[in-house]
């Protein structure tokens, strides 16, 4: 009897669980099945509806049958994604957001990471992707070199090139929280600022530098200069270590959290206290930022939403549906203890 029971239990364990349908998702999310279908096709909808559907999809671990869908529609459900600098925060999180959105919509995302030092890398990658039956291609570009390469590549399927615009006349692209960061520091009494910038070939670095410069000027404050980095903690450390006097500014605004981390280390090595002597801020809000010493005040950038929006834009193009490109990058100011009153206010 024990053997029979064991066998029965083993057989039950092997019984596959029924896959959730869009009707199951609709009931769980309390929306119509048409809304679930619209979401899976990447079509526009209210944020509240999208959030309920995404929560329901996660709860039931929804896995669409791509083979059956391809046979029914006669269309591939694979998307190619060309990217580079995947070790950097922005590109990696954009890819993660794109992958999640593709999977939720019933597509597989084939990711090809490019070597920026190889001029032929893009054409070789496109040739590689052409060996597969693709519905479309996402070309995720962070640098001028990659953007130009993508613009001259020969894509033969619907393609969306995802790059951060840095039109200096486009105020919307500069409206994310760097001005709020400067306002926060100014309200603490800071008047002299130093910027540690990212590499000039990145549109994001130029945007953050321009946002910093405009915000400092708008408040009638003083920028004592800009030091160049390459996004790495080492470059932030070396930039601050190179200063004859690291107390020239009372606030250091780094263009990303890793360079801010390097700046914190360089200041500590010189016996300069943060935030008592100098305040330090970053951008991105990487998971480790809350555990720096001291925890880092920063700007949270929602890169995953950018990746998700890119997939939805591509799927709208695949379906021949008009969809307005999202241009506003969601962000928010995260206040932690790496910022304090300007030194002259201490003890006041």
């Amino acid at each position: 009897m024990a053997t029979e029971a064991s066998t029965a239990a083993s057989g039950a364990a092997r019984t596959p669980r029924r896959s959730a349908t869009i009707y199951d998702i609709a009931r769980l999310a309390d929306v119509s099945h048409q809304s679930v279908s619209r979401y899976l096709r990447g079509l526009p909808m209210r944020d509240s509806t999208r959030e309920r559907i995404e929560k329901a999809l996660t709860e039931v671990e929804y896995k669409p049958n791509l083979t059956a869908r391809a046979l029914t529609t006669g269309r591939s459900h694979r998307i190619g994604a060309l990217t580079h600098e995947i070790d950097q925060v922005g590109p990696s999180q954009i890819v993660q957001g794109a992958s999640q959105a593709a999977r939720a919509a019933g597509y597989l995302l084939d990711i090809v990471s490019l070597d920026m030092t190889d001029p032929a890398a893009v054409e070789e990658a496109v040739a590689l992707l052409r060996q597969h039956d693709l519905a479309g291609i996402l070309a995720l570009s962070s640098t001028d070199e990659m953007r130009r390469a993508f613009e001259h590549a020969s894509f033969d399927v619907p393609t969306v090139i995802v790059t951060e615009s840095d039109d200096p006349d486009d105020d919307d692209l500069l409206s994310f929280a760097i001005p709020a960061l400067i306002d926060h520091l100014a309200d603490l009494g800071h008047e002299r600022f130093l910027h540690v910038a990212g590499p000039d070939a990145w549109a994001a670095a130029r945007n953050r530098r321009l946002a910093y410069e405009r915000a400092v000027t708008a408040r009638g404050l003083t920028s004592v200069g800009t030091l160049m980095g390459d996004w790495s903690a080492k470059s932030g450390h070396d930039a601050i270590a190179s200063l004859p006097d690291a107390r020239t500014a009372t606030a250091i605004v780094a263009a990303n959290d890793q360079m801010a981390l390097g700046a914190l280390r360089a200041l500590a090595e010189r016996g300069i206290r943060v935030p008592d002597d100098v305040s330090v801020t970053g951008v991105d809000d990487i998971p480790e930022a809350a555990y720096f010493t001291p925890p880092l005040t920063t700007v949270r950038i929602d890169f995953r939403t950018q990746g998700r929006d890119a997939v939805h834009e591509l799927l709208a193009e695949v379906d021949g549906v008009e969809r307005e490109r999202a241009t506003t990058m969601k962000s928010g100011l995260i206040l932690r203890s790496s910022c304090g009153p300007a030194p002259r206010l201490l003890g006041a």
Side-chain angles (χ1 to χ4, degrees), residues 25 65 79 161 176 263 333:
I25 303 301
N65 188 327
I79 296 172
I161 298 177
F176 57 94
L333 182 61

Side-chain angles (χ1 to χ4, degrees), residues 44-337:
M45 61 177 54
R46 289 195 299 269
D47 287 344
S48 58
T49 302
R50 180 185 298 107
E51 289 169 2
R52 291 204 301 272
I53 293 173
E54 289 176 346
K55 181 180 179 182
L57 289 169
T58 300
E59 288 183 15
V60 303
E61 299 180 352
Y62 178 70
K63 296 179 178 63
N65 188 327
L66 301 185
T67 302
R69 183 175 295 183
L71 290 172
T72 301
T73 63
R75 187 174 82 189
S76 169
H77 281 77
R78 302 178 77 95
I79 296 172
L82 298 174
T83 187
H84 59 101
E85 299 288 346
I86 199 70
D87 57 328
Q88 298 292 344
V89 174
S92 67
Q93 292 195 5
I94 290 172
V95 167
Q96 289 178 41
S99 180
Q100 291 167 354
R103 186 167 60 251
Y107 286 77
L108 292 177
L109 195 69
D110 294 327
I111 301 168
V112 178
S113 183
L114 303 172
D115 178 2
M116 289 201 312
T117 65
D118 182 1
V122 173
E123 286 299 340
E124 290 174 359
V126 172
L128 174 64
L129 289 175
R130 283 201 190 102
Q131 298 175 20
H132 305 277
D133 183 19
L134 296 178
I137 291 177
L138 286 178
L140 307 174
S141 171
S142 300
T143 69
D144 298 338
E145 182 181 9
M146 281 294 104
R147 176 182 53 78
R148 287 190 294 268
F150 287 149
E151 288 174 349
H152 291 91
S154 300
F155 299 111
D156 55 3
V157 294
T159 301
V160 169
I161 298 177
V162 183
T163 186
E164 185 173 329
S165 170
D166 61 346
D167 182 351
D169 296 323
D170 191 344
D171 290 335
D172 186 51
L173 291 173
L174 299 176
S175 66
F176 57 94
I178 287 182
L181 188 64
I182 300 299
D183 285 342
H184 172 66
L185 289 164
D187 291 344
L188 290 171
H190 294 274
E191 297 179 351
R192 298 177 65 80
F193 292 75
L194 175 69
H195 184 50
V196 182
D200 200 49
W202 288 61
R206 296 194 297 268
N207 280 339
R208 296 174 188 189
R209 180 174 179 175
L210 183 56
Y212 159 82
E213 291 171 348
R214 287 184 173 178
V216 168
T217 300
R219 284 294 298 252
L221 306 168
T222 300
S223 176
V224 301
T226 295
L227 303 175
M228 300 306 297
D230 62 8
W231 297 131
S232 70
K234 181 180 185 303
S235 71
H237 172 276
D238 293 350
I240 299 304
S242 71
L243 292 172
D245 182 2
R247 299 174 193 257
T248 302
T250 63
I252 297 173
V253 179
N256 77 337
D257 293 345
Q258 286 98 330
M259 292 192 297
L261 173 62
L264 290 172
R265 173 65 181 268
L267 292 169
E269 289 173 349
R270 300 175 75 161
I272 298 174
R273 300 167 301 168
V274 178
D276 302 72
D277 302 321
V278 177
S279 290
V280 177
T281 67
V283 176
D284 288 339
D285 192 30
I286 62 175
E288 297 82 6
Y291 302 95
F292 289 1
T293 304
L296 185 67
T297 289
T298 185
V299 174
R300 177 175 295 164
I301 307 294
D302 190 356
F303 291 110
R304 294 196 182 199
T305 292
Q306 188 179 2
R308 185 195 69 194
D309 288 345
V311 167
H312 290 168
E313 181 182 346
L314 177 62
L315 294 183
E317 186 173 334
V318 169
D319 290 335
V321 177
E322 289 290 333
R323 178 183 171 89
E324 184 177 350
R325 171 168 285 195
T327 56
T328 301
M329 192 178 295
K330 295 181 180 179
S331 63
L333 182 61
I334 308 299
L335 300 180
R336 299 193 180 101
S337 55

